Amino acid sequence: MLNKIIQLDKDISNKIAAGEVVERPLAVVKELVENAIDAHATKITVEIKNAGKSLIRVTDNGHGIAPEEVVLAFERHSTSKIRTINDIYHISSLGFRGEALASIASVSNMEVITKYTTVDYGKKLVLSGGKIIENLQVGAPDGTTMMVKDLFFNTPARLKFMKSNNAEQSAINDIMTKLALSHPEVAFKYIVSGENMFITPGNGKLYDVILNIYQRQISKNLIEVNFEENGIKLEGFISSLDISRGNRQYQIAFVNHRYVKSKTVEEAIGTVYRTLIPHNRFPITFLNIQLDPSLIDINIHPSKTEIRFHQEGVVKDLIYKALRYEINRYDMTPEKPLNSKPIENKAVLETYHEENKKVNTIKTPVSSPRSENIETREIREKTKVLLDSYKKIHEEPVIKERTKSTYDSVKPSQPLKREPLVREPVIKSQVHEVAQPLLATPEETIYDHLNFIGQIFNSYLIYEKQGQMYMIDQHAAHEKILYEKFIEDFRTGNMMTQMILEPIVVNVSKMVMQHAMSHEVLFKRLGFYIEPFGEEALVVREIPAAFNMKTAKALIHELVETLDFSLPSEQFEMMLDSLASKACKAAIKANDKLMTIEVQALIDSLKTLNDPYTCPHGRPIIIKISRHEIEKKFNRT
Ligand code: ADP
Ligand code: MG
């Protein structure tokens, strides 16, 4: 049975962060829509006129408000959603402070029509500036309509502070987009000044929401993510490497179906795409993270969306692995269309056929983007099945622990304590029940079965495979191999070093010296053996094998000068990590004379890379030119 609306006692209501609920029309929209979602509505219509200043109307088909509780719902601190302060930390419904309706009503002319599911008549309440003008019994369909007119009519100061219609309207559009995206199970109809802005089907498929809100250019370039580990579920869509944006506006994240901002999520996404898309560009992501609500700190101020995860490392690691895995699954050679290459590993195929003999129904994979044709969809489904069987062959996860050092303090293998979610995820049936172990990359890489044709300009290797021509930039490839080796060696503590004849002396302050020596082990991991030299200098006797004296000198100076030694060790290590990769990129660039390499050895090394597609500076290593394109050049098509 639904909770009755009660008034919170003073103590509780005071503890709840105070603050203005309604500063702008967008806040009204958000509160009303969230109430509708909380009322289990499956259809919500939102109508806006004059940027919300003259009308905001939200109609839902939820459970409605019981007749005897309608008046109470408009009193401050009345809510059916919390009982004690502890509930706040476990709350899974959206609004929880019990003052939205009261606040909105107090600054507008409001009209409510609501019919409670189990009662056969409805209620209509008309309020002006919070005072009830009419309270009637009416005939009404199930659900609730909240109509807010003349917002801020009685608070001229606030009215004056409102931004232009354009600005207010686009803020409302933004919040509506996020609400619709975070609730694919709800059919939204969003109307602005009589015009349909978007309609979502409410079929639980996030992809269909994206398709209805954004242009095709975005929706057709998305890769699906669906992953679960340690009781944390990650699902959604991320952009392929073909599209990106100039800012993070298209990086949308939800936690337990609630729109959030999270540095952790941003950083994880950034790390994944850093070497894959140009500098200063951002991927498009729609990601929903589901986890036990007690494992996050939600900021209880209603207008703020920042959250923190208790175990940031675990979440970051999970996002990194899942995204990386999905991106790697696609053949990322530029120009290659998405979804076009199934995995062809023989062992996998055999197991696949075996499995098929045993079970004659293949588990249907999660929703496939509508834009795919049947053929690519089939390939996708097959790929999914192949991967499922593949992971059965390899019981233990194959992924290299690239980020291990960062997350040493947490034990990812240990399941998180699970308390039942208060709100059950609605699209359960479409979610994988099995946690997917990770594969670093599918067994077969783009570099397999390449037929070497020759080399041109002393720089490019040419290959043929399956009616396509491939070209490898051997310098870019070599750079990347060195780079990944350096990073790998650093992370696993296997850095190759070289003794130097003439030690490097670095002058430092007493403080820096003490701190540096306390991090001696980390310097060693980077390949620098440091010792104190008097009270205000460090001496370096061994340097990484990959560096010459000049770059080693530059790097050690940069390390000592820019590292913030006051950071807690985990963060310090992260910073060192990013400095190491930056420094290595610089070092590689400086060593412009790369060794002459043996062609096959180069290809073999490329196969083992985590990211064999771009050099450390982001340029492609391999490109593909199709037969079709070549024929076009000869006017054969
Ligand atoms: P809160 O959402 O924090 O509980 P509100 O002021 O937003 O506080 O709403 C007060 C109460 O009114 C809610 O707890 C809920 O019981 C009821 N209510 C508000 N909007 C709706 C709706 N659209 N459908 C059903 N009940 C609603
Ligand atoms: Mg509310």
Side-chain angles (χ1 to χ4, degrees):
M1 195 48 214
L2 299 162
N3 284 328
K4 287 197 150 275
I5 299 177
I6 55 155
Q7 272 193 276
L8 296 172
D9 75 46
K10 273 250 152 38
D11 183 45
I12 299 169
S13 47
N14 289 342
K15 277 184 192 150
I16 299 171
E20 304 278 359
V21 183
V22 278
E23 284 171 334
R24 297 173 61 189
L26 86 104
V28 176
V29 174
K30 177 171 178 283
E31 293 291 339
L32 296 183
V33 171
E34 287 183 343
N35 278 348
I37 293 168
D38 279 349
H40 303 286
T42 57
K43 275 194 190 136
I44 300 175
T45 302
V46 177
E47 281 174 81
I48 308 291
K49 285 203 175 118
N50 194 23
K53 295 171 189 173
S54 45
L55 174 78
I56 296 170
R57 178 164 41 207
V58 177
T59 306
D60 70 59
N61 66 347
H63 57 58
I65 308 175
E68 69 278 12
E69 301 199 325
V70 179
V71 171
L72 188 58
F74 284 86
E75 280 169 25
R76 208 160 277 273
H77 302 313
S78 43
T79 176
S80 54
K81 296 167 197 168
I82 42 175
R83 293 289 177 260
T84 70
I85 190 73
N86 279 341
D87 286 350
I88 293 173
Y89 300 103
H90 296 281
I91 203 90
S92 68
S93 61
L94 300 164
F96 49 81
R97 300 155 328 97
E99 63 176 29
L101 286 187
S103 310
I104 297 166
S106 70
V107 291
S108 67
N109 289 317
M110 230 179 136
E111 223 177 283
V112 185
I113 297 172
T114 185
K115 183 189 162 300
Y116 197 56
T117 332
T118 55
V119 177
D120 54 12
Y121 62 92
K123 270 278 190 181
K124 175 174 174 181
L125 214 62
V126 180
L127 303 98
S128 181
K131 287 202 182 66
I132 297 172
I133 300 177
E134 263 180 72
N135 182 352
L136 306 168
Q137 193 167 311
V138 294
D142 280 350
T144 305
T145 298
M146 296 268 176
M147 182 153 78
V148 177
K149 291 185 293 189
D150 316 314
L151 190 61
F152 304 137
F153 78 97
N154 53 355
T155 51
R158 262 204 239 171
L159 199 57
K160 229 173 66 192
F161 271 106
M162 271 208 275
K163 302 199 173 122
S164 71
N165 274 19
N166 268 346
E168 295 297 349
Q169 185 57 54
S170 81
I172 297 174
N173 294 348
D174 190 53
I175 196 76
M176 278 305 300
T177 302
K178 281 160 183 165
L179 287 164
L181 286 168
S182 50
H183 292 279
E185 78 284 4
V186 176
F188 280 95
K189 190 172 190 179
Y190 176 43
I191 304 163
V192 176
S193 307
E195 225 183 291
N196 280 345
M197 300 298 283
F198 61 73
I199 297 175
T200 67
N203 60 2
K205 291 181 183 161
L206 174 61
Y207 187 79
D208 288 350
V209 182
I210 297 170
L211 200 61
N212 280 286
I213 295 181
Y214 297 97
Q215 338 66 304
R216 231 185 89 72
Q217 201 253 343
I218 289 185
S219 44
K220 75 167 197 225
N221 279 304
L222 295 177
I223 299 170
E224 185 168 5
V225 177
N226 196 330
F227 184 73
E228 182 173 353
E229 198 175 70
N230 299 329
I232 305 174
K233 201 178 278 173
L234 179 73
E235 53 188 1
F237 294 88
I238 56 174
S239 53
S240 72
L241 307 183
D242 298 329
I243 51 167
S244 60
R245 286 290 177 270
N247 56 46
R248 285 209 183 83
Q249 215 199 319
Y250 287 76
Q251 285 183 14
I252 300 179
F254 309 100
V255 169
N256 296 340
H257 293 280
R258 183 179 188 177
Y259 170 69
V260 296
K261 279 209 175 83
S262 152
K263 273 262 166 297
T264 309
V265 177
E266 268 177 24
E267 277 169 22
I269 295 171
T271 317
V272 172
Y273 281 87
R274 189 176 301 141
T275 57
L276 302 178
I277 59 177
H279 188 57
N280 280 339
R281 299 292 296 174
F282 299 91
I284 297 165
T285 57
F286 304 97
L287 290 174
N288 185 32
I289 303 161
Q290 287 182 60
L291 77 174
D292 189 322
S294 66
L295 295 174
I296 46 179
D297 293 327
I298 41 176
N299 193 319
I300 56 178
H301 188 289
S303 63
K304 284 193 183 156
T305 47
E306 275 105 50
I307 64 152
R308 280 179 68 86
F309 299 96
H310 290 177
Q311 293 180 293
E312 302 204 342
V314 175
V315 175
K316 208 183 227 177
D317 194 27
L318 178 106
I319 296 174
Y320 179 85
K321 286 199 293 186
L323 267 52
R324 193 72 209 205
Y325 168 63
E326 289 301 340
I327 291 173
N328 274 355
R329 272 178 59 190
Y330 290 96
D331 175 351
M332 294 196 306
T333 315
E335 297 167 13
K336 179 109 184 173
L338 279 180
N339 305 343
S340 60
K341 183 175 161 257
I343 285 126
E344 299 156 356
N345 184 282
K346 274 212 189 87
V348 173
L349 267 174
E350 276 159 23
T351 323
Y352 168 58
H353 290 310
E354 287 295 300
E355 291 288 315
N356 261 351
K357 269 182 238 155
K358 275 183 263 164
V359 216
N360 41 21
T361 47
I362 298 173
K363 196 176 69 195
T364 332
V366 289
S367 61
S368 301
R370 193 193 277 172
S371 61
E372 287 175 32
N373 60 32
I374 293 168
E375 198 183 315
T376 50
R377 186 178 294 204
E378 260 172 27
I379 290 171
R380 262 176 74 92
E381 293 185 2
K382 212 159 99 189
T383 309
K384 200 138 206 154
V385 181
L386 286 175
L387 283 166
D388 281 347
S389 10
Y390 177 75
K391 78 195 177 200
K392 280 187 197 120
I393 315 175
H394 297 264
E395 280 304 331
E396 75 275 52
V398 203
I399 191 160
K400 291 189 191 138
E401 291 212 19
R402 293 190 55 159
T403 42
K404 183 174 177 295
S405 59
T406 320
Y407 310 126
D408 272 349
S409 55
V410 289
K411 295 193 200 79
S413 57
Q414 200 178 307
L416 300 170
K417 197 180 105 238
R418 270 206 91 142
E419 276 166 20
L421 292 169
V422 189
R423 173 191 277 266
E424 282 293 315
V426 193
I427 39 176
K428 221 174 174 180
S429 59
Q430 288 157 358
V431 165
H432 270 283
E433 322 85 90
V434 217
Q436 294 179 312
L438 271 173
L439 318 167
T441 46
E443 270 281 275
E444 176 154 321
T445 74
I446 178 90
Y447 295 102
D448 283 295
H449 309 302
L450 288 175
N451 272 328
F452 183 57
I453 306 294
Q455 187 204 42
I456 52 168
F457 312 138
N458 247 326
S459 305
Y460 303 98
L461 306 173
I462 297 181
Y463 294 85
E464 184 193 339
K465 172 162 105 176
Q466 293 164 352
Q468 317 271 3
M469 177 169 114
Y470 291 83
M471 289 176 84
I472 293 177
D473 177 335
Q474 65 188 61
H475 296 279
H478 195 221
E479 282 181 10
K480 189 54 171 275
I481 292 163
L482 288 180
Y483 173 74
E484 281 207 9
K485 179 161 184 348
F486 182 84
I487 298 298
E488 181 79 11
D489 288 351
F490 168 63
R491 289 182 176 153
T492 54
N494 292 319
M495 188 64 74
M496 292 267 285
T497 60
Q498 52 183 324
M499 291 275 284
I500 44 177
L501 289 177
E502 194 187 315
I504 304 170
V505 179
V506 189
N507 294 318
V508 290
S509 73
K510 264 188 207 158
M511 264 230 317
V512 168
M513 178 143 98
Q514 264 181 14
H515 287 307
M517 287 319 297
S518 71
H519 288 97
E520 191 190 347
V521 183
L522 287 176
F523 279 92
K524 232 176 219 168
R525 290 241 316 264
L526 260 180
F528 290 98
Y529 284 61
I530 56 169
E531 283 167 24
F533 189 63
E535 283 203 320
E536 298 192 351
L538 290 168
V539 62
V540 184
R541 300 191 191 277
E542 273 183 50
I543 61 170
F547 294 175
N548 62 23
M549 268 300 270
K550 203 174 129 217
T551 46
K553 245 184 205 162
L555 177 56
I556 188 73
H557 275 107
E558 183 170 356
L559 286 174
V560 173
E561 279 155 24
T562 52
L563 278 179
D564 181 354
F565 291 100
S566 63
L567 288 174
S569 77
E570 190 181 321
Q571 278 174 44
F572 179 80
E573 217 174 307
M574 259 164 72
M575 193 173 152
L576 200 61
D577 201 276
S578 78
L579 249 179
S581 60
K582 224 173 71 191
C584 181
K585 281 178 205 174
I588 289 166
K589 211 169 195 169
N591 286 336
D592 49 1
K593 261 222 168 108
L594 291 162
M595 292 168 277
T596 40
I597 32 125
E598 206 234 310
V599 171
Q600 192 49 45
L602 182 86
I603 296 293
D604 289 343
S605 307
L606 281 172
K607 285 183 197 169
T608 67
L609 296 187
N610 280 316
D611 165 26
Y613 306 102
T614 54
C615 82
H617 313 102
R619 293 187 304 268
I621 290 175
I622 181 167
I623 60 166
K624 186 188 67 187
I625 300 165
S626 69
R627 183 187 187 123
H628 178 72
E629 249 169 291
I630 294 169
E631 284 174 344
K632 238 169 41 191
K633 289 234 186 268
F634 288 104
N635 293 340
R636 275 180 178 276
T637 51

